[in-house]
Amino acid sequence: FRIMAGKVKWVTDIEKSVLINNFEKRGWIQVTENEDWNFYWMSVQTIRNVFSVETGYRLSDDQIVNHFPNHYELTRKDLMVKNIKRYRKELEKEGSPLAEKDENGKYIYLDFVPVTFMLPADYNLFVEEFRKNPSSTWIMKPCGKAQGKGIFLINKLSQIKKWSRDSKTSSFVSQSSKEAYVISLYINNPLLIGGKKFDLRLYVLVSTYRPLRCYMYKLGFCRFCTVKYTPSTSELDNMFVHLTNVAIQKHGDDYNHIHGGKWTVSNLRLYLESTRGKEVTNKLFDEIHWIIVQSLKAVAPVMNNDKHCFECYGYDIIIDDKLKPWLIEVNASPSLTSSTANDRILKYNLINDTLNIAVPNGEIPDCKWNKSPPKEVLGNYEVLYDEEMAQSDGPDRDLRSRSGQSTGVKGNRARDSGKPVLTTWK
Amino acid sequence: MLDPDNGLSLTIARIVQRLKGSSLHSQLERQARISLHKPEIKLESLKEDIKDFLKTSGWEKKLQNAVYSELNVFPSPCHPAAPPEHMKEPLAYMRKAQGSWEKRILKSLNSMCTELSIPLAQKRPVSEQKELLNKWNEMGTDEPDLSLFRPVYAPKDFLEVLTNLRNPNYENGEQPSFRSHLGLIQVPLKVKDIPELKEDFSELGLNIGQLGIDDSAQVPPEFFENEHVRVGQKVLAEQDSAAAQQYVRQGCPTALRADLWALILNISNQPEDILYYEQLKSNVIQHDLLVDSLIYKDVKLTASNDDYYFVFEDYLYQVLLCFSRDTSVLEHFTYSSATPPKSYIRGKLGMEEYAVFYPPNGVIPFHGFSMYVAPLCFLYHEPSKLYQMFREMYVRFFFRLHSISSHPSGIVSLCLLFETLLQTHLPQLFYHLREIGAQPLRISFKWMVRAFSGYLATDQLLLLWDRILGYNSLEILAGQQLKYRAFSFSPGSCCVCFPSSQPDGGDITGCSRSCTC
């Protein structure tokens, strides 16, 4: 009989071909969650159960899962903002140069999340801020939803009367996460390309939070709105103009199934270098790397750094017309649905490279390993930040190399400055 | 034979005539007048002093660039007694072929017009004008019903015409031998052979640094790159067209490309240029042309579906609709083998006083035409500058890709060059392909007609177009498929790159791997 020992046993509750094809090509064996499994690619609902106080169970050393138990510290909009605010205050308290502020009281290096308040809890604080700038537009997002669901724009206080009432009566009413919203200053001066608004989706793999080790997928993409962007107030209701989520764009009239309104990050880079110059483009990309790492550092202290866990996040970033990147949100379950052929290839390779790093050699894992994969298996990932290596280079490395804090990214940039080896046919 | 002195004085006379009355001329005059107030300008040595002043203030350089531009665009006069059509095309049979081809295109356009009962041109009602003006920046969101329109012709139609080209004075009856040309093009045009190409394109040699070539180069890439960028910045600071043209032969650094190309093509986006573009825009608003629908259709079929260029869809309309109405483009017909189609005001057929060129710029777009503009959108985001850069690229280069002529950069010569290179350099592959009924030109033709736009990743396309500008020639397109380094002769460094994703190409990549060269 065939010896099955040594083959990774996998389970998933997400029926996506990009996942399953990757498991099968490694010769892994599919099992159910009640059997002995080594690898479970689970949805966020399932991870809640695995680690919950009542229904949870202990994972053994040869089991890995694809989420951290309390990932929501980063991936829930309100908690992400809360953690970043706390992180900044801590740095300020300890007198770190990173927390330096400018003459207007804005953080120089750590102002990368648009002004955000929780509703209904911070309603009054929000009103104060709103009145400073009464012509501003704000975006309301439900804390617990994804894919652009339930999002709307407001530019008048009357549009959120409901939350004002709730805040007054909130002392005894416990907020279910369904009703909680965050309200953020809407970035009404996004960088437009071809007159179109877009956002950036970048994939970041975290293998451990303490020490922090994270990787950035080189093949991120821009998602363009199918309808022309106008900041005019009459268009506030037209979600096709404002939201770049593919789930929403797909239903617009102009959605194209060949390119899906997506551009590669390398196209973005080529366009920006050609029209704005190399220095500002490099600065932009450095800043993007910076804000990703800072967001991870912000949640690292509160993350349950369970050794059985790794996680691949989908970062959503918007660039404004001054070429400043803003962190909009982080997704724990980035969509694995493919909207175009290119998309399918990208996501397939993403999972492939992720598995190569998270499950070394494709063999039955041992959680006690040092989580330090050799360079050759990184595939399209590059090291974004490796705390261990950074620390060995000196304690004030953070500030000195603020624009290139990782050991991998800046070095790679010089080398892959766009010199193709083979002619790239389409 | 024209003696050199005569030729030179003719050229000078022509350039002076063209520059006279140009805005550069009036600016120079103005500068000279202003300089009279300067203390260093003395009455005794007025002429010399003004000349020095123009030199130090950079105006002489601008004049130099303008002269250089004229030299690049207009061919040298062959003979004072030569009729004007010789400047267009010296060979009679080519002229005739181009004439018949044009008749066919016009017939196709007219019949579409009659079928659909749409006039070639009409004035827009005021309400429509208002609407179009509002939508000017987002014409891509318009969804006019274009189902009844079809492209006037596609590259493959053009290829059939070229395949049937024959020189009536040339006896082709001899027995086919190893010297016969086995490709589709059967006209005896002189194309460069490999030693000549090596000499003309010497900057592409292995021993010279390049941007965008694989790292088997002998010059270490990083070292070359930093130095190259430094030199490029210097060239830009000097604002010297000729130096820029020489420089880009080794490829442009991304950040410098937009400025270098503008310098080479002598485009500076002056206020009068912007005004001119705005004037064209108002022409678009006021009048509707049938070719507008052809342009819409083309953009929707090609650029809108392209991974790289879909983002710029709206810019393409803004450029191409204006381009159709730009009568200054008619100038290029003096040196193009093509002639602009004529149309007559309704009811006045045949009466010369009522003849107009149609479209106003004399260029009827074909399937894929919008892809000439698309790559430029990566470099220029200001509409009037984008427009001027495209127009200049068209009247210098692209027009040769869809007209029949004997010019070395004309599509006929490029096809012949490609086939000859392939037959000489990779004979086994060539014969094998012919055997299986896959003439290589049938596949590569559409790539060349489009100057590879849409067939290469943009960053590499731009590097290719760097060389077109650098050598002021389209010959590089014929060599692109054989890679730049085909001229190095070292085994293994040449290969035929056929994309396996192309439906017709699937067979061929398999073949090219089994054939040795």
CSV table of all heavy atoms in Angstrom, one decimal, chain A residues 13 63 75 92 119-120 129 145 154-155 174 191 202 209 212 242 255 294 337 346 370 372 394 418-419:
chain,number,residue,atom,x,y,z
A,13,ASP,N,-12.1,25.8,3.6
A,13,ASP,CA,-13.6,26.1,3.4
A,13,ASP,C,-13.8,27.2,2.4
A,13,ASP,O,-14.9,27.8,2.4
A,13,ASP,CB,-14.2,26.4,4.8
A,13,ASP,CG,-13.5,27.6,5.5
A,13,ASP,OD1,-12.6,28.1,4.9
A,13,ASP,OD2,-13.8,27.9,6.7
A,63,GLN,N,0.6,21.7,12.5
A,63,GLN,CA,-0.5,22.3,11.9
A,63,GLN,C,-0.3,23.8,11.7
A,63,GLN,O,0.2,24.5,12.6
A,63,GLN,CB,-1.8,22.0,12.8
A,63,GLN,CG,-2.2,20.6,12.9
A,63,GLN,CD,-3.5,20.4,13.7
A,63,GLN,OE1,-3.5,20.9,14.8
A,63,GLN,NE2,-4.4,19.8,13.1
A,75,THR,N,-7.3,44.3,10.7
A,75,THR,CA,-8.2,44.2,9.5
A,75,THR,C,-9.6,44.8,9.8
A,75,THR,O,-10.4,45.0,8.8
A,75,THR,CB,-8.3,42.8,9.0
A,75,THR,OG1,-8.9,42.0,10.1
A,75,THR,CG2,-7.0,42.2,8.6
A,92,GLU,N,5.4,59.0,20.7
A,92,GLU,CA,5.6,60.4,21.1
A,92,GLU,C,6.0,60.4,22.6
A,92,GLU,O,6.9,61.2,22.9
A,92,GLU,CB,4.2,61.0,21.0
A,92,GLU,CG,4.3,62.5,20.6
A,92,GLU,CD,2.9,63.1,20.4
A,92,GLU,OE1,2.0,62.4,20.0
A,92,GLU,OE2,2.8,64.3,20.7
A,119,LEU,N,-18.0,55.8,15.0
A,119,LEU,CA,-19.4,56.2,15.3
A,119,LEU,C,-20.1,55.0,15.9
A,119,LEU,O,-20.0,53.9,15.4
A,119,LEU,CB,-20.0,56.7,14.1
A,119,LEU,CG,-19.5,58.0,13.5
A,119,LEU,CD1,-20.3,58.4,12.3
A,119,LEU,CD2,-19.5,59.1,14.6
A,120,PRO,N,-20.9,55.2,16.8
A,120,PRO,CA,-21.3,56.5,17.4
A,120,PRO,C,-20.4,57.1,18.5
A,120,PRO,O,-20.6,58.2,19.0
A,120,PRO,CB,-22.7,56.3,18.0
A,120,PRO,CG,-22.7,54.8,18.3
A,120,PRO,CD,-21.8,54.2,17.4
A,129,GLU,N,-14.4,68.3,14.3
A,129,GLU,CA,-13.5,68.2,13.2
A,129,GLU,C,-14.3,68.7,11.9
A,129,GLU,O,-13.7,69.4,11.1
A,129,GLU,CB,-13.0,66.8,13.0
A,129,GLU,CG,-11.9,66.7,12.0
A,129,GLU,CD,-10.6,67.4,12.4
A,129,GLU,OE1,-10.3,67.4,13.6
A,129,GLU,OE2,-10.0,67.9,11.5
A,145,LYS,N,-17.9,45.0,7.5
A,145,LYS,CA,-18.2,44.5,6.1
A,145,LYS,C,-17.0,44.7,5.1
A,145,LYS,O,-16.1,45.4,5.4
A,145,LYS,CB,-19.4,45.3,5.6
A,145,LYS,CG,-20.7,45.1,6.4
A,145,LYS,CD,-21.9,44.9,5.6
A,145,LYS,CE,-23.2,44.8,6.4
A,145,LYS,NZ,-23.8,46.2,6.5
A,154,ILE,N,-20.8,61.3,2.7
A,154,ILE,CA,-21.7,62.4,3.3
A,154,ILE,C,-20.9,63.7,3.2
A,154,ILE,O,-19.7,63.7,3.2
A,154,ILE,CB,-22.1,62.2,4.7
A,154,ILE,CG1,-20.9,62.1,5.6
A,154,ILE,CG2,-22.9,60.9,4.8
A,154,ILE,CD1,-21.0,63.1,6.8
A,155,ASN,N,-21.7,64.8,3.1
A,155,ASN,CA,-21.0,66.1,3.2
A,155,ASN,C,-21.9,67.0,4.0
A,155,ASN,O,-21.6,68.2,4.1
A,155,ASN,CB,-20.7,66.7,1.8
A,155,ASN,CG,-22.0,66.9,1.0
A,155,ASN,OD1,-23.1,66.4,1.4
A,155,ASN,ND2,-21.9,67.4,-0.2
A,174,SER,N,-25.0,48.1,24.3
A,174,SER,CA,-23.7,47.6,23.8
A,174,SER,C,-23.7,47.6,22.3
A,174,SER,O,-24.7,47.2,21.7
A,174,SER,CB,-23.5,46.2,24.3
A,174,SER,OG,-24.4,45.3,23.8
A,191,LEU,N,-4.9,61.0,-7.0
A,191,LEU,CA,-4.1,61.1,-8.2
A,191,LEU,C,-4.9,60.5,-9.3
A,191,LEU,O,-5.5,59.4,-9.1
A,191,LEU,CB,-2.8,60.3,-8.0
A,191,LEU,CG,-1.9,60.2,-9.3
A,191,LEU,CD1,-1.4,61.6,-9.7
A,191,LEU,CD2,-0.8,59.2,-9.1
A,202,LEU,N,-2.1,45.8,-2.7
A,202,LEU,CA,-0.8,45.2,-2.5
A,202,LEU,C,-1.0,44.0,-1.6
A,202,LEU,O,-1.7,44.1,-0.6
A,202,LEU,CB,0.2,46.2,-2.0
A,202,LEU,CG,0.4,47.4,-2.8
A,202,LEU,CD1,1.2,48.5,-2.1
A,202,LEU,CD2,1.2,47.0,-4.1
A,209,TYR,N,4.9,38.1,13.9
A,209,TYR,CA,4.9,39.5,14.3
A,209,TYR,C,6.0,39.9,15.3
A,209,TYR,O,6.3,41.0,15.4
A,209,TYR,CB,3.5,39.8,15.0
A,209,TYR,CG,2.4,40.2,13.9
A,209,TYR,CD1,1.5,39.3,13.4
A,209,TYR,CD2,2.4,41.5,13.5
A,209,TYR,CE1,0.6,39.7,12.5
A,209,TYR,CE2,1.4,41.9,12.5
A,209,TYR,CZ,0.5,41.0,12.1
A,209,TYR,OH,-0.4,41.4,11.1
A,212,LEU,N,9.1,40.9,13.9
A,212,LEU,CA,8.3,41.1,12.7
A,212,LEU,C,9.0,40.7,11.4
A,212,LEU,O,10.1,41.1,11.2
A,212,LEU,CB,7.9,42.6,12.6
A,212,LEU,CG,7.1,43.0,11.4
A,212,LEU,CD1,5.8,42.3,11.3
A,212,LEU,CD2,6.9,44.6,11.4
A,242,HIS,N,-16.7,56.6,-7.1
A,242,HIS,CA,-15.9,56.7,-5.9
A,242,HIS,C,-15.2,55.5,-5.4
A,242,HIS,O,-14.1,55.6,-4.9
A,242,HIS,CB,-16.8,57.4,-4.8
A,242,HIS,CG,-17.2,58.7,-5.2
A,242,HIS,ND1,-16.3,59.8,-5.1
A,242,HIS,CD2,-18.4,59.2,-5.6
A,242,HIS,CE1,-17.0,60.9,-5.5
A,242,HIS,NE2,-18.2,60.5,-5.8
A,255,TYR,N,-17.5,48.0,-17.4
A,255,TYR,CA,-16.6,47.0,-16.9
A,255,TYR,C,-16.1,46.2,-18.1
A,255,TYR,O,-16.9,45.6,-18.8
A,255,TYR,CB,-17.2,46.2,-15.8
A,255,TYR,CG,-16.2,45.2,-15.2
A,255,TYR,CD1,-15.2,45.6,-14.3
A,255,TYR,CD2,-16.2,43.9,-15.6
A,255,TYR,CE1,-14.3,44.7,-13.8
A,255,TYR,CE2,-15.3,43.0,-15.1
A,255,TYR,CZ,-14.4,43.4,-14.2
A,255,TYR,OH,-13.5,42.6,-13.7
A,294,GLN,N,4.9,50.3,9.1
A,294,GLN,CA,4.5,51.0,10.4
A,294,GLN,C,3.1,50.4,10.9
A,294,GLN,O,2.9,50.3,12.1
A,294,GLN,CB,4.4,52.5,10.1
A,294,GLN,CG,5.7,53.2,9.9
A,294,GLN,CD,6.7,52.9,11.0
A,294,GLN,OE1,6.4,53.1,12.2
A,294,GLN,NE2,7.9,52.4,10.6
A,337,THR,N,-11.1,35.4,-6.0
A,337,THR,CA,-11.9,35.3,-7.2
A,337,THR,C,-11.1,36.0,-8.3
A,337,THR,O,-10.5,37.0,-8.1
A,337,THR,CB,-13.3,36.0,-7.1
A,337,THR,OG1,-13.8,35.6,-5.8
A,337,THR,CG2,-14.2,35.5,-8.2
A,346,LEU,N,-2.2,35.8,-11.7
A,346,LEU,CA,-1.6,36.5,-10.6
A,346,LEU,C,-1.9,35.8,-9.3
A,346,LEU,O,-1.1,35.6,-8.5
A,346,LEU,CB,-2.1,37.9,-10.6
A,346,LEU,CG,-1.4,38.8,-9.5
A,346,LEU,CD1,-1.0,40.1,-10.0
A,346,LEU,CD2,-2.4,39.0,-8.3
A,370,ASN,N,12.3,28.3,12.3
A,370,ASN,CA,12.6,29.7,12.6
A,370,ASN,C,12.0,30.7,11.7
A,370,ASN,O,12.2,31.9,11.7
A,370,ASN,CB,14.2,29.9,12.5
A,370,ASN,CG,14.7,29.8,11.1
A,370,ASN,OD1,14.0,29.4,10.2
A,370,ASN,ND2,15.9,30.1,10.9
A,372,SER,N,12.4,31.4,8.7
A,372,SER,CA,13.3,32.2,7.8
A,372,SER,C,13.6,31.4,6.6
A,372,SER,O,14.6,30.6,6.5
A,372,SER,CB,14.6,32.4,8.6
A,372,SER,OG,15.1,33.7,8.4
A,394,GLY,N,21.9,47.7,14.0
A,394,GLY,CA,22.0,48.9,14.8
A,394,GLY,C,20.6,49.5,15.2
A,394,GLY,O,19.7,49.4,14.4
A,418,GLY,N,14.0,47.9,-14.3
A,418,GLY,CA,13.3,47.8,-15.6
A,418,GLY,C,14.1,47.2,-16.7
A,418,GLY,O,13.8,47.5,-17.9
A,419,LYS,N,15.0,46.4,-16.4
A,419,LYS,CA,15.8,45.8,-17.5
A,419,LYS,C,15.3,44.4,-17.8
A,419,LYS,O,15.6,43.5,-17.0
A,419,LYS,CB,17.3,45.8,-17.2
A,419,LYS,CG,17.9,47.1,-17.7
A,419,LYS,CD,19.4,47.0,-17.9
A,419,LYS,CE,20.2,46.1,-16.9
A,419,LYS,NZ,20.0,46.7,-15.5
